Amino acid sequence: MPVYDYKCREHGLFNTLATMEDAAKPAECPTCKVLSPRVIVLPPEIAAMDPAKRNAQERNERSRHEPVFSTADRRAHDAEHSRSCGCGGAKPGKSMLFYTADGKKMFPSMRPWMISH
């Protein structure tokens, strides 16, 4: 049988064993015998977590079960965003690589110390 948490108005949190069918039903407080509702207690590391970190973890957990597939519509939407976002940076997927007239690779403004091969 699982252990469930309950909260008495007078005596605070307590836990008790209950069947799964009785999980939603209130339980008697062991001290004053008043029926108390079931509560879900979050661990302090989750309750006090930075909201940005919590959102990142939720998004990561969702992506494990709801992968995003590349479709023509999604690629068109992403391309539209790249043109209109105004960030001015290199577009995702665009390489700074180009070839000179004699066939050597060149990376302008990227790693000038890199030897072409």
Side-chain angles (χ1 to χ4, degrees), residues 38-73:
R38 181 174 166 215
V39 294
I40 297 175
V41 180
L42 291 176
E45 59 271 5
I46 293 175
M49 186 184 297
D50 177 40
K53 184 175 180 180
R54 186 179 317 121
N55 289 338
Q57 286 185 347
E58 287 172 5
R59 186 172 41 254
N60 186 30
E61 188 65 26
R62 262 195 321 272
S63 69
R64 290 181 60 211
H65 306 292
E66 302 170 13
V68 176
F69 296 101
S70 179
T71 63
D73 292 337

Side-chain angles (χ1 to χ4, degrees), residues 4 6 12 18 23 27 33 43 50 52-53 60-61 65 68 70 80 83-84 88 93 97 99 104 106 109:
Y4 294 107
Y6 298 90
K33 305 295 184 208
D50 177 40
K53 184 175 180 180
N60 186 30
E61 188 65 26
H65 306 292
V68 176
S70 179
E80 181 71 28
R83 274 188 248 112
S84 64
L97 168 72
Y99 292 90
K104 293 182 182 174
M106 189 169 185
S109 73

Side-chain angles (χ1 to χ4, degrees), residues 10-57:
E10 296 292 320
H11 301 102
L13 290 173
F14 66 94
N15 52 33
T16 187
L17 290 170
T19 62
M20 292 172 105
E21 291 110 21
D22 296 338
K25 296 178 184 174
E28 283 187 356
C29 173
T31 308
C32 63
K33 305 295 184 208
V34 173
L35 286 178
S36 303
R38 181 174 166 215
V39 294
I40 297 175
V41 180
L42 291 176
E45 59 271 5
I46 293 175
M49 186 184 297
D50 177 40
K53 184 175 180 180
R54 186 179 317 121
N55 289 338
Q57 286 185 347

